[in-house]
Amino acid sequence: MYEEEQELISRLIRKEDAAFRQAIKQYQSSMLYLAHSFVGNKFADEVVQEAWFSAIRALPKFESRSSLRTWLLRIVANEAKTRLRKENRLTSLEAMTAENKSLSDRYVSDGNWGDKIPIQWDCDSPEELLSVQELKRCMDQLIENLPELQGATLNLREEQGYSLDDICNILEVSESNVRVLLHRARNRLFLCIEHFQATGECCTD
Amino acid sequence: MITCKDVSDTASDYLDGPTTLLQRFSLRLHLIMCVKCRRYMRQLKLASGLAKKITVPFEPSDEEIEFLVQKLRALT
């Protein structure tokens, strides 16, 4: 695996078409997927293209401290952040890791649940939840609108299955921040599904 | 004894494992006794499972691949 990757890297540095093709086939979908969670559909292609340009230029200096895949995703994340920063759309880490008040308010001062305890859902599996079209649409919309690092963390962890360690490396945040971001994102999903279960309507935040 | 709020604070970590033995033990002990947190925990896990199932395919087409290859080749 390591040798194969080194071989691909050397061929990419030599700018072989076949190597470009192979790398794009291997990594493009993961890169697009991550970019999408940062900047949405409209700019994902552009961000990924920029990331490839930066990556190919920087490749001779790549030191293999991480896998090529992780390194490429880190470049995508950086391009996406730069883009958001330029448009003044970058949310602060503090805001993204802040406690979700609509959940924390449901606990009373001694740390127990108050009056608003979790309602029982009428579903036992994710598949069953997603079989309801309106909820599926609602979830797509919610995930699309998550603050960028929450969305990216959820995407990398749940949808793409990366380890916490890889995610720290890709997003350049500490492990404790990754854990908090994941926690916040999952709780948002939880609250939105609960709202849907109670009212039959999508949450509005 | 940990509180329900403590459960909420560590629930997500628990899904990602590995938490410390003490954390796992105190969480399990709490869950045995608290039906509300059991429900919260089970449904948070469902929410996480749902996110795993929402995958959008982003496979590039042959044309897209060739377009990008051309661009990368032209890089100086």
Side-chain angles (χ1 to χ4, degrees):
Chain A
M1 189 65 196
Y2 179 76
E3 283 80 25
E4 264 173 48
E5 192 170 292
Q6 289 306 310
E7 168 73 20
L8 176 61
I9 292 168
S10 317
R11 289 169 51 222
L12 285 171
I13 293 173
R14 291 199 298 271
K15 299 202 168 148
E16 291 179 18
D17 278 8
F20 287 149
R21 216 165 277 133
Q22 185 188 336
I24 295 166
K25 276 189 186 154
Q26 248 166 288
Y27 305 119
Q28 179 81 345
S29 65
S30 193
M31 291 164 79
L32 267 175
Y33 207 3
L34 178 64
H36 183 263
S37 72
F38 267 99
V39 295
N41 233 347
K42 216 165 132 200
F43 300 113
D45 281 328
E46 241 175 87
V47 161
V48 170
Q49 190 173 306
E50 283 305 317
W52 276 113
F53 294 164
S54 309
I56 296 300
R57 287 197 189 102
L59 204 53
K61 282 181 272 168
F62 176 59
E63 287 168 340
S64 296
R65 270 199 289 257
S66 64
S67 68
L68 181 59
R69 175 181 291 275
T70 310
W71 185 72
L72 286 170
L73 288 175
R74 184 176 171 138
I75 296 175
V76 170
N78 274 323
E79 291 291 344
K81 285 183 209 163
T82 305
R83 170 119 217 173
L84 291 171
R85 200 171 295 123
K86 260 189 223 154
E87 294 172 0
N88 276 323
R89 288 202 287 140
L90 199 68
T91 320
S92 71
L93 190 61
E94 289 75 36
M96 281 186 284
T97 51
E99 217 172 42
N100 194 323
K101 271 192 76 61
S102 52
L103 184 66
S104 62
D105 283 353
R106 288 164 66 175
Y107 297 91
V108 288
S109 55
D110 64 2
N112 289 314
W113 287 95
D115 296 336
K116 243 182 128 192
I117 65 166
I119 64 159
Q120 171 86 39
W121 301 353
D122 61 4
C123 284
D124 288 326
S125 69
E127 289 81 2
E128 212 181 315
L129 283 170
L130 286 170
S131 67
V132 182
Q133 276 308 309
E134 296 87 67
L135 180 61
K136 163 92 172 59
R137 254 199 308 278
C138 174
M139 289 291 111
D140 285 341
Q141 196 187 323
L142 175 75
I143 292 175
E144 173 114 26
N145 291 323
L146 285 175
E148 60 274 7
L149 282 183
Q150 278 186 18
T153 312
L154 192 77
N155 174 287
L156 290 167
R157 180 70 189 141
E158 308 283 34
E159 301 170 50
Q160 303 207 53
Y162 285 98
S163 68
L164 296 185
D165 214 32
D166 279 340
I167 300 174
C168 296
N169 206 329
I170 293 166
L171 300 179
E172 294 177 75
V173 289
S174 69
E175 177 168 329
S176 61
N177 276 329
V178 167
R179 286 180 181 275
V180 176
L181 287 163
L182 253 180
H183 191 30
R184 302 289 179 249
R186 284 170 174 155
N187 268 329
R188 275 182 179 233
L189 293 184
F190 168 86
L191 288 169
C192 193
I193 300 169
E194 186 179 60
H195 181 80
F196 189 89
Q197 291 274 325
T199 63
E201 281 166 16
C202 190
C203 48
T204 44
D205 78 340
Chain B
M1 184 66 193
I2 62 171
T3 65
C4 299
K5 180 73 170 62
D6 296 331
V7 171
S8 157
D9 290 340
T10 52
S12 171
D13 277 348
Y14 190 75
L15 297 181
D16 294 307
T19 47
T20 66
L21 208 61
L22 181 67
Q23 264 180 330
R24 271 207 300 277
F25 177 74
S26 37
L27 182 70
R28 281 191 190 153
L29 193 67
H30 183 104
L31 291 180
I32 290 170
M33 293 183 290
C34 179
V35 64
K36 299 168 201 168
C37 286
R38 240 181 0 250
R39 188 182 286 170
Y40 167 72
M41 189 74 208
R42 193 176 65 82
Q43 292 176 173
L44 186 72
K45 202 171 164 186
L46 268 181
S48 146
L50 180 144
K52 286 191 177 70
K53 299 280 169 203
I54 296 198
T55 40
V56 191
F58 279 108
E59 289 310 316
S61 67
D62 286 348
E63 291 84 65
E64 283 163 337
I65 295 174
E66 285 315 310
F67 177 75
L68 193 52
V69 168
Q70 298 268 342
K71 293 240 174 189
L72 293 180
R73 189 195 296 144
L75 270 188
T76 47

